[in-house]
Amino acid sequence: MRIFFTVIDLRSDTVTRPTPTMRAAMAQAEVGDDVYGEDPTVNRLQSLICERLGFEAALFLPSGTQSNLCALLTHCRRGDEYVAGQTAHAYRYEGGGAAIVGGIQPQPLEFQIDGTLDLDEVAAVIKPNDPHFTNTRLLCLENTQWGKALPLDYLQRAVSFARTKGLLLHLDGARIFNASVAQNVDVCKITRGFDSVSVCLSKGLGAPVGSVLCGSTEFIERAHRWRKVVGGGMRQAGIVAAAGIVALEEGVDRLAEDHAHAAALADGLKNIDELSVDGPHTNMVFLTLSPIVAQDLKVYVRERGIIVAPTADRVRLVTHLGVCTEDVSTVINVCKDFFATRKAA
Ligand SMILES: *Cc1c(COP(=O)(O)O)cnc(C)c1O
């Protein structure tokens, strides 16, 4: 049965609403002033995450964007450079924050089809030590990358590559638990060797607000200062951190349901001749459609209680805790009807 929603909203897994357990935990949360490090609930969330991800320290932040920004500001100095995917969130979708706030220059590279960055291409853009160039300081990977879990052997290679080249290594792990569930490995195995990892609690895990940045104790001390600088010190943040704890305790294993729903959705949609379906990739399915057809589809499905958000070249469908098994069949049937109606017209 679908919870909370009167519509089937496939735009993103950010649209989820807190579960009754989260609301209860929030209402009862013990709090203190987190800017002084005195909020017991925030502290508990931070230690839970460090333990899970295998890091010394962690920092609770209001958003994944701010978490990536604080990571970049902590790793890089003004005039340094970070290498990231052309369509990486930390480059393309964060308003240029690293450049605006930190004077940090991005070096974007195309992602490979599997969501990785080709390490030879990364090697080729590392700048030589010469006054003409900036210092290439950091390599930033994303996992999952548009739903794709990065191959584990690639992660190992990336870690030794970064060490060899003297680069720091950050993981935008907004959906890292989708990767660990899909690959059926402990999340520690995915984060091993990274200097920092950012995790979103507010995507598939279902918390209303919050991300956590992990790293060494020394790194997190410096990131803490940056969090204050960018306005992310939240005082009695235990109210929202309490939902994050529930998200971690109850949300991780549940992600397998989202992956099963995405798989069923992709299977059903693949039977529609007019559709080119990419996926499932963890909790995402992509449809390649011309912008005009995508726009018509958006309107058609909206009239039937389904929300999708086409971009220039495709439609991304994301499953989450507000999407149930019956919804998947509904979406497949409505899409079938849409194309049948067009054919008839
Ligand atoms: C959502 C997302 C973020 C940022 O999270 P916000 O909380 O929306 O700022 C960062 N990276 C990736 C890959 C994301 O999907």
Side-chain angles (χ1 to χ4, degrees), residues 51-125:
E51 211 174 290
R52 290 264 190 122
L53 269 61
F55 282 89
E56 277 175 10
L59 188 66
F60 184 53
L61 298 111
S63 71
T65 299
Q66 195 180 82
S67 181
N68 281 331
L69 177 61
C70 286
L72 287 164
L73 290 167
T74 308
H75 285 309
C76 301
R77 281 177 304 190
R78 195 164 188 82
D80 286 349
E81 174 182 81
Y82 70 109
V83 181
Q86 191 69 254
T87 55
H89 204 282
Y91 162 57
R92 188 178 172 112
Y93 296 99
E94 297 184 359
I100 295 168
V101 185
I104 304 161
Q105 159 174 304
Q107 168 61 68
L109 283 177
E110 286 302 330
F111 277 122
Q112 302 296 294
I113 195 84
D114 63 357
T116 62
L117 289 176
D118 183 308
L119 298 176
D120 292 333
E121 286 182 24
V122 177
V125 298

Side-chain angles (χ1 to χ4, degrees), residues 12-14 62-68 88-90 93-94 142-146 172-175 198 200 202-203 210-211 284 316:
S12 176
D13 48 10
T14 54
S63 71
T65 299
Q66 195 180 82
S67 181
N68 281 331
H89 204 282
Y93 296 99
E94 297 184 359
E142 188 172 300
N143 197 8
T144 62
Q145 202 283 311
W146 283 357
D172 178 357
R175 296 189 178 83
S198 170
C200 286
S202 59
K203 303 257 163 105
S211 281
M284 297 182 191
R316 182 182 78 161

Side-chain angles (χ1 to χ4, degrees), residues 62-254:
S63 71
T65 299
Q66 195 180 82
S67 181
N68 281 331
L69 177 61
C70 286
L72 287 164
L73 290 167
T74 308
H75 285 309
C76 301
R77 281 177 304 190
R78 195 164 188 82
D80 286 349
E81 174 182 81
Y82 70 109
V83 181
Q86 191 69 254
T87 55
H89 204 282
Y91 162 57
R92 188 178 172 112
Y93 296 99
E94 297 184 359
I100 295 168
V101 185
I104 304 161
Q105 159 174 304
Q107 168 61 68
L109 283 177
E110 286 302 330
F111 277 122
Q112 302 296 294
I113 195 84
D114 63 357
T116 62
L117 289 176
D118 183 308
L119 298 176
D120 292 333
E121 286 182 24
V122 177
V125 298
I126 296 173
K127 310 297 182 284
N129 184 10
D130 170 315
H132 286 89
F133 303 110
T134 173
N135 297 307
T136 311
R137 183 76 62 197
L138 177 75
L139 173 59
C140 178
L141 297 176
E142 188 172 300
N143 197 8
T144 62
Q145 202 283 311
W146 283 357
K148 291 170 189 164
L150 304 192
L152 295 167
D153 64 319
Y154 171 80
L155 293 175
Q156 276 186 354
R157 280 189 289 121
V159 167
S160 43
F161 170 86
R163 292 228 175 95
T164 311
K165 299 289 184 184
L167 295 180
L168 294 164
L169 192 58
H170 173 67
L171 185 62
D172 178 357
R175 296 189 178 83
I176 198 168
F177 286 106
N178 291 86
S180 79
V181 167
Q183 293 173 321
N184 197 21
V185 294
D186 195 301
V187 70
C188 273
K189 247 189 135 164
I190 298 177
T191 57
R192 188 174 300 154
F194 281 81
D195 295 292
S196 56
V197 178
S198 170
V199 185
C200 286
L201 302 167
S202 59
K203 303 257 163 105
L205 297 183
V209 174
S211 281
V212 185
L213 179 63
C214 297
S216 68
T217 305
E218 181 272 337
F219 170 84
I220 291 297
E221 271 170 18
R222 291 191 291 127
H224 195 161
R225 181 184 295 267
W226 281 118
R227 184 184 71 173
K228 192 78 186 93
V229 171
V230 297
M234 291 191 292
R235 307 299 176 188
Q236 285 72 43
I239 303 273
V240 271
I245 293 172
V246 176
L248 267 185
E249 286 172 345
E250 296 185 350
V252 175
D253 294 340
R254 200 208 53 79

Side-chain angles (χ1 to χ4, degrees), residues 287-296 310-315 342:
L287 309 177
T288 310
L289 284 175
S290 77
I292 294 170
V293 179
Q295 197 52 39
D296 287 353
T311 54
D313 54 346
R314 55 188 194 162
V315 181
R342 285 175 71 84

Side-chain angles (χ1 to χ4, degrees), residues 21-43:
T21 323
M22 284 179 191
R23 296 232 187 221
M26 294 169 84
Q28 286 149 22
E30 251 189 277
V31 295
D33 190 330
D34 182 50
V35 174
Y36 294 115
E38 289 171 4
D39 187 301
T41 309
V42 170
N43 291 341

